[in-house]
Amino acid sequence: MSAELHVAADRAALVADAADRLAAAIADAIAARGRALVAVTGGSVGIELLAALGERDVDWERLHVTWSDERYVAADSPDRNAVQAREALLDRVPIPADHVHELPAADGTTLDQAALRATSVLEWLGPVDVTLLGVGPDAHIASLFPGMPGVDEPGERVIAVRDSPKPPPERLSFTLGAIAASERTWLIVAGADKAESVRLALGDADAATAPVAHARGRVETLLLADAEAASLVA
Ligand SMILES: O=C(O)[C@H](O)[C@@H](O)[C@H](O)[C@H](O)COP(=O)(O)O
């Protein structure tokens, strides 16, 4: 079953709606299980969402955060999704430091060793309540790019990605299986340049052509788009 589409009037309304939804989903997870685990994403919309979440009422002490993908660069690189997330949100709210589960940074270990470490941490963390995914103009999600090997990787894992068409070239990414293991998976996308990706997201293209079409959650898969990104489907 493809994603459930929700269209907001513009980018600002999309980010506000996504932040409201995320605050509510976090509260539901905490009520049900005593904690919430959210896999956040990079990209401009993903970071704007985190900044907006900081203005919502969230039980930060019971929130855990990890990433659905990360750039394999130095820990303090401005290219790190985690650095951008800390600036936008995590350094501004009282989330316990040991609740922020960054994917490994480039620190002398190999990218493959980093992927193995990240997979074992993901297994230790247990079920993800909400996985957030931005969407590229080429229909990529996380760091799973059309025509690249990662989209075919089996299992619920974090994999090494090389030669990423979106810089930087070395990355770590949830597999489609890891994404599908999430209770809720939300695609968040804005802008006319993403309209074809949104059309593909709601279609039946294979994963190699359109990874976005294979984003799934166990109980919920949402496609949260602004009117420009949804212009070909709504
Ligand atoms: O690490 C990354 O680059 C992101 O995870 C990537 O998947 C991003 O979410 C999309 O490319 C959308 O980015 P924009 O919202 O900036 O278009």
Side-chain angles (χ1 to χ4, degrees), residues 48-126:
E48 287 170 40
L49 169 54
L50 294 182
L53 185 69
E55 297 161 14
R56 272 47 182 193
D57 179 19
V58 172
D59 185 351
W60 302 107
E61 301 282 333
R62 293 177 182 269
L63 176 62
H64 288 253
V65 168
T66 190
W67 277 261
S68 53
D69 77 328
E70 183 56 283
R71 292 87 177 276
Y72 193 62
V73 292
D76 61 353
S77 166
D79 277 341
R80 284 278 288 179
N81 289 334
V83 167
Q84 296 175 28
R86 288 180 185 279
E87 287 166 5
L89 174 67
L90 301 176
D91 288 349
R92 303 170 188 272
V93 295
I95 185 171
D98 63 355
H99 285 197
V100 179
H101 310 282
E102 291 192 17
L103 298 191
D107 61 357
T109 55
T110 68
L111 181 58
D112 292 316
Q113 288 168 330
L116 288 173
R117 273 171 39 211
T119 297
S120 60
V121 169
L122 182 60
E123 288 165 355
W124 173 77
L125 284 170

Side-chain angles (χ1 to χ4, degrees), residues 41-45 69 71 81 134-136 140-142 166 171 194:
T41 187
S44 56
V45 176
D69 77 328
R71 292 87 177 276
N81 289 334
V135 181
H140 81 255
I141 50 174
K166 178 178 181 182
R171 292 160 167 258
K194 307 295 178 70

Side-chain angles (χ1 to χ4, degrees), residues 9-224:
D10 56 29
R11 187 183 183 111
L14 168 68
V15 169
D17 174 59
D20 290 342
R21 289 175 184 271
L22 185 54
I26 290 168
D28 288 350
I30 289 170
R33 281 177 290 285
R35 71 143 209 194
L37 173 59
V38 177
V40 301
T41 187
S44 56
V45 176
I47 297 301
E48 287 170 40
L49 169 54
L50 294 182
L53 185 69
E55 297 161 14
R56 272 47 182 193
D57 179 19
V58 172
D59 185 351
W60 302 107
E61 301 282 333
R62 293 177 182 269
L63 176 62
H64 288 253
V65 168
T66 190
W67 277 261
S68 53
D69 77 328
E70 183 56 283
R71 292 87 177 276
Y72 193 62
V73 292
D76 61 353
S77 166
D79 277 341
R80 284 278 288 179
N81 289 334
V83 167
Q84 296 175 28
R86 288 180 185 279
E87 287 166 5
L89 174 67
L90 301 176
D91 288 349
R92 303 170 188 272
V93 295
I95 185 171
D98 63 355
H99 285 197
V100 179
H101 310 282
E102 291 192 17
L103 298 191
D107 61 357
T109 55
T110 68
L111 181 58
D112 292 316
Q113 288 168 330
L116 288 173
R117 273 171 39 211
T119 297
S120 60
V121 169
L122 182 60
E123 288 165 355
W124 173 77
L125 284 170
V128 176
D129 293 294
V130 186
T131 290
L132 302 174
L133 298 168
V135 181
D138 60 354
H140 81 255
I141 50 174
S143 290
L144 302 176
F145 295 91
M148 300 282 285
V151 291
D152 301 322
E153 287 286 338
E156 301 173 14
R157 298 187 293 129
V158 178
I159 56 169
V161 174
R162 293 177 171 84
D163 306 318
S164 165
K166 178 178 181 182
E170 290 196 327
R171 292 160 167 258
L172 294 165
S173 181
F174 275 18
T175 55
L176 288 175
I179 292 168
S182 183
E183 288 295 298
R184 304 167 186 246
T185 293
W186 299 353
L187 299 159
I188 301 151
V189 53
D193 63 326
K194 307 295 178 70
E196 175 58 12
S197 295
V198 168
R199 189 186 68 78
L200 287 168
L202 299 174
D204 58 2
D206 63 32
T209 304
V212 68
H214 293 258
R216 292 290 182 276
R218 284 168 37 82
V219 299
E220 180 181 77
T221 310
L222 299 184
L223 174 48
L224 307 177

